[in-house]
Amino acid sequence: MAVTTGSQQLLEFIKFLRGRDVPISPADSMDAVHAASLLGYADRGALRDGLAAVLAKSAFEESRYHEAFEIFFGLPESRSPENQIPPQEGSEDPADQPPSDDQSSANQQQSPQQQSSALEQAANASEALTQLMASPLLRALQNGDEASLAVAIEAAARDAGVEGIRLFTQRGQFTRRLLDALGETVLRDAAIDLESHNRAAFEELQALREQLRLRARDRVERAYLIHASGDTEEFLDNTLSEVKLANISPHQMIRMRKLIERMARKLATRHGRRRKRHRRGQLHVPATLRASIATDGIPFTTRWKAVTKRRPEVMAICDVSGSVAAYAKFLLMFLYAVQDVLPRTRSFAFSSTLGEVTDWFEELPVEEAVTLVNRTYGGATDYARAFQDFADLALSDIHSATTVIILGDARNNNSDPRLDLLAEIKSRCKRLIWLNPEPRVAWGSGDSAMLPVIHHCHLATECNNLRQLERIVDKLLADSRR
Amino acid sequence: MENSLYKELDNIDGITADFERAGYICTTRIATVVYLAAQLNKPILVEGPPGVGKTELAKTCAHVIDKPLVRLQCYEGLDEAKALYEWKYGKQLLYTQILKEQLGDILDGAKGLKESIQRLHSTGDVFYAKEFLEPRPLLRAMEQEHGAVLLIDEIDKADFEFESLLLEVLSDFQVSIPEIGTVQARSKPIVFLTSNDTRDLSDALKRRCLHLHIPFPSIELEARIVAARVPELDASLTDQLVRFVHAVRELDLKKAPAISETIDWAKSLLLLHADQLDSRLVHDTLNVLLKYEEDIIEAEDQLTKLLKQTSG
């Protein structure tokens, strides 16, 4: 019994952790339950350390884990009443039903009240109020009987489905529901009744109601912290990654940055294997001997150690003119966030003229570098000039393992974009990817030269939110591994 | 059944006490993880900065439970032939030679090709037999009859592909040899993997391990460690020295001194018969603690401040 309620709570905790960005597999959960049963629930420190070893797999996850552990299991004193409630008591709602024997006797022991309050005097005059005063809820409130109150609130919380809270704005609504389940309406009616003729008693009752409300709100907030904050964060993140990058306002930048870092970390682990440094041109003796067995020990066929592959390289060419600048910023942020696995990125920025900005990104924090790029190269777009500059700068450096990414809207103010240069870039590189922040339907409209551009790219795709960007970088990393 | 094999590791307080007797002061966190590893039969992935005693933990564990320590040092290019097993090619070649010589005897009197082949089959194929197998550390650890401690050191230095090779060993304690079949561990070893965090390990590997991060210890803990390792050193000097090291770690250094350096330093001070830290002594022995010239210069610049913090 003790083990089952314990593991139930442990599973809740695991759910909570998952909401906080700590991925936990079912196998891990099983280990956690096993570990917890070995360690027992009595020694909080040992339980915390033991579960940490099973559930948190990196330093980052460990810090998240410890945070979550403190919130979820709280300080042992403050949460103990709740932890110890066996589920059977949950069906009982002390506000509606006659009090169970042990509870009322416990209350009676405490109830010899020294001071007779205004409320009690009023109760003497009213039959309904006398009944109300006898209800265990009010008695507990008046006597400050923490244990019974906690039991009542827990039971009501279950009835009201408080654990279903998902958004911060639902707090008021759930507090109300919890109070209703507690049978608080009776108190409210009594208060309304008293308000007109007995001011003193009314105020006393109001104070008790306020106390109850605060407790209920506490309970709801805790439920929110445990069950929803993860969901809300995820909800926000999801929204942010779907929204058009140009519409992201400065105050969301911090969150955006974190999001990019997290996506980058995910991609980095997915693709993050190191290139094997093969030894070129050495005889693989064991393999050769093994192969020679078929030919009676004569090394007829020779086996050689593998040969190194060419190091992949990415060149990003970004239009930083007004219309596209915001997108360029995020593309560059993303590319530099995956630097660990993408060995070499050279970046170029242009609007009318083009220049290499790689060094800035190596020396400055990404955001500063982006601002500097915008300031230096912002202006009206001229693709012909930009391609020409790029060809002069870097065409000879493009080799068969280079991926070239161009970010731009291909709107060239109705002048010739020199697609012959683009064709030449394509012929030299492994992949040429064109990212266009405009929706596909707008391609080719007005002064957009996008339609002919498509023929000169290996891949031309729409890219205007973080999700699409992630997909492209993912593909890029997968390609560069091959 | 496994628990009976490592019965020294069946309670946390016992582990702490046993390890301390062996000269390894461990926190309850470390003891808890070792306990869980023995009970759940899971490998421990130990991470942390260099020199905090990751390798030492495995060695001490082997010492405490009195089992052999099988160590596999990882490096770039490590492959299965060096980690798992290798065929003894020379002997295999000799075997073919012998077989050729004996062929006449075996086939003596056989009529026709069919019977010859049948006879040949009946002699049994020993070419790929266990006798020709040269066990490498992983297989050797599996072969220990009465349990062992397997230390896979600095797994982050090995290639990514090597991690996949480890998965079978770590989760099922078995090794598949294509020519023979699956070799099950005779008894499950206690496995420690250490990593200096030079790269991220794969999720698959992490998932199979208990995760233990050993940070630099607190002042009290480090003082106890030094006292356990260099018991001859005066207690007040030990305290002073540990405080000094902690102050040095706060500086912006290329490589912060680890516990092993603290212990080395304590040993050198003992040799020099020092009874108190002063600027001259520190100046002369700082190279034991810090390994880079820039770091030494940086620390010497702030020597008075550091010493003041130490005494205060």
Side-chain angles (χ1 to χ4, degrees), chain A residues 154-166:
Chain A
E154 265 327 297
R158 240 184 303 267
D159 290 349
V162 165
E163 317 293 331
I165 186 168
R166 284 296 169 265

Side-chain angles (χ1 to χ4, degrees), chain B residues 24 27 61 107 148 155 186 221 263 275:
Chain B
Y24 191 94
T27 55
C61 185
L107 299 182
I155 173 73
R186 291 186 170 188
L221 187 64
I263 292 172
D275 48 10

Side-chain angles (χ1 to χ4, degrees), chain A residues 387 404 406 416-434 449-460:
Chain A
F387 287 146
V404 179
I406 303 177
D416 175 24
R418 291 284 308 273
L419 292 181
D420 55 316
L421 283 170
L422 191 62
E424 186 164 356
I425 296 172
K426 183 189 177 187
S427 69
R428 280 174 162 264
C429 69
K430 182 182 171 205
R431 261 170 101 78
L432 176 60
I433 302 176
W434 191 295
M450 194 59 199
L451 295 179
V453 159
I454 297 176
H455 301 294
H456 294 286
C457 301
H458 293 100
L459 175 73

Side-chain angles (χ1 to χ4, degrees), chain A residues 233-245 247-249 251-257 259 263 464-467:
Chain A
E233 304 271 297
E234 208 180 307
F235 174 74
L236 259 180
D237 284 350
N238 277 338
T239 325
L240 270 185
S241 41
E242 303 282 341
V243 101
K244 259 179 102 168
L245 291 172
N247 293 339
I248 287 177
S249 60
H251 77 272
Q252 283 156 334
M253 269 315 288
I254 297 176
R255 191 173 195 94
M256 214 42 200
R257 224 198 131 90
L259 196 59
M263 284 178 167
N464 53 41
N465 65 34
L466 203 53
R467 187 82 66 207

Side-chain angles (χ1 to χ4, degrees), chain A residues 25 28 31 34-35 38-39 46 49-54 56-59 62 66 269 272-277 279 284 286-287 289-290 292-293 296-297, chain B residues 12 28-29 32-33 35-36 39-40 42 47 76-77 86-87 89 92-93 100 127-128 156-161 199-201 203 206-207 209-211 213:
Chain A
S25 69
D28 289 339
D31 282 339
H34 200 152
L38 278 170
L39 294 166
D49 292 347
L51 288 182
V54 179
K57 305 289 183 198
S58 66
E62 205 171 305
H66 282 292
T269 23
R273 62 158 95 175
R274 271 193 313 190
R275 198 146 291 274
K276 208 183 198 170
R277 226 179 285 149
R279 286 144 299 182
H284 196 307
L289 275 176
R290 217 173 300 161
S292 75
I293 285 163
D296 204 11
Chain B
I12 296 174
T28 38
R29 174 147 170 60
T32 307
V33 176
Y35 164 75
L36 279 180
Q39 303 303 316
L40 297 175
K42 288 197 96 177
E47 288 185 312
E76 201 167 309
E86 173 92 292
W87 293 103
Y89 304 111
Q92 277 178 326
L93 284 178
K100 209 154 71 182
F127 190 81
Y128 284 120
D156 51 332
K157 294 234 170 71
D159 299 311
F160 187 82
E161 289 78 5
R199 72 180 167 96
D200 271 345
L201 301 173
D203 283 346
K206 285 184 180 172
R207 211 171 48 232
C209 300
L210 297 175
H211 187 259
H213 182 85

Side-chain angles (χ1 to χ4, degrees), chain B:
Chain B
M1 76 193 162
E2 233 42 67
N3 303 356
S4 62
L5 201 55
Y6 305 113
K7 55 181 176 299
E8 293 87 347
L9 302 179
D10 68 355
N11 80 77
I12 296 174
D13 296 335
I15 293 173
T16 317
D18 284 346
F19 276 47
E20 184 163 349
R21 225 167 294 130
Y24 191 94
I25 312 289
C26 57
T27 55
T28 38
R29 174 147 170 60
I30 296 177
T32 307
V33 176
V34 171
Y35 164 75
L36 279 180
Q39 303 303 316
L40 297 175
N41 280 326
K42 288 197 96 177
I44 307 178
L45 173 62
V46 196
E47 288 185 312
V52 290
K54 299 187 292 291
T55 309
E56 206 55 38
L57 177 64
K59 287 187 189 163
T60 312
C61 185
H63 176 77
V64 165
I65 61 177
D66 196 21
K67 305 281 185 222
L69 174 75
V70 182
R71 179 170 176 168
L72 174 66
Q73 174 68 47
C74 297
Y75 51 87
E76 201 167 309
L78 179 68
D79 58 8
E80 59 175 358
K82 288 177 196 112
L84 271 179
Y85 63 89
E86 173 92 292
W87 293 103
K88 295 173 182 167
Y89 304 111
K91 284 198 176 151
Q92 277 178 326
L93 284 178
L94 274 178
Y95 169 73
T96 46
Q97 298 290 328
I98 297 166
L99 190 70
K100 209 154 71 182
E101 279 161 23
Q102 302 286 310
L103 212 54
D105 298 343
I106 296 172
L107 299 182
D108 191 31
K111 290 187 196 72
L113 188 64
K114 203 173 167 192
E115 199 182 334
S116 304
I117 296 286
Q118 251 165 12
R119 274 227 208 146
L120 207 56
H121 278 317
S122 67
T123 57
D125 188 9
V126 285
F127 190 81
Y128 284 120
K130 274 208 168 149
E131 290 76 54
F132 291 127
L133 209 56
E134 176 83 57
R136 300 291 189 196
L138 293 180
L139 187 59
R140 208 157 60 226
M142 303 285 124
E143 282 182 339
Q144 301 295 325
E145 193 102 35
H146 305 292
V149 173
L150 171 62
L151 167 63
I152 302 174
D153 216 2
E154 304 189 2
I155 173 73
D156 51 332
K157 294 234 170 71
D159 299 311
F160 187 82
E161 289 78 5
F162 182 72
E163 285 180 26
S164 321
L165 189 77
L166 278 179
L167 298 181
E168 187 186 11
V169 175
L170 295 184
S171 57
D172 299 325
F173 295 98
Q174 63 180 37
V175 174
S176 288
I177 301 170
E179 294 87 353
I180 293 181
T182 309
V183 179
Q184 276 285 347
R186 291 186 170 188
S187 61
K188 292 179 182 170
I190 293 186
V191 186
F192 290 88
L193 296 101
T194 73
S195 159
N196 285 334
D197 236 359
T198 54
R199 72 180 167 96
D200 271 345
L201 301 173
S202 72
D203 283 346
L205 183 76
K206 285 184 180 172
R207 211 171 48 232
R208 283 165 175 81
C209 300
L210 297 175
H211 187 259
L212 173 64
H213 182 85
I214 307 185
F216 285 128
S218 63
I219 294 187
E220 297 75 37
L221 187 64
E222 190 158 7
R224 280 180 61 204
I225 293 171
V226 174
R229 283 301 166 102
V230 196
E232 303 88 347
L233 199 67
D234 182 55
S236 73
L237 181 58
T238 304
D239 189 60
Q240 220 180 5
L241 163 136
V242 171
R243 279 174 192 282
F244 184 84
V245 173
H246 272 256
V248 169
R249 276 186 202 141
E250 299 290 312
L251 299 177
D252 180 25
L253 298 179
K254 214 165 156 185
K255 185 191 172 302
I259 305 178
S260 50
E261 272 103 33
T262 315
I263 292 172
D264 286 347
W265 199 33
K267 283 181 184 159
S268 357
L269 292 186
L270 186 69
L271 280 176
L272 294 171
H273 300 292
D275 48 10
Q276 210 199 336
L277 277 189
D278 54 45
S279 59
R280 202 194 147 79
L281 184 67
V282 174
H283 179 87
D284 289 344
T285 54
L286 206 55
N287 56 345
V288 181
L289 197 62
L290 297 169
K291 305 293 171 176
Y292 288 97
E293 194 55 37
E294 301 104 285
D295 289 355
I296 296 180
I297 293 168
E298 169 84 22
E300 277 183 349
D301 280 352
Q302 316 219 16
L303 202 56
T304 27
K305 205 182 104 202
L306 289 171
L307 280 170
K308 202 180 277 175
Q309 278 178 19
T310 310
S311 53

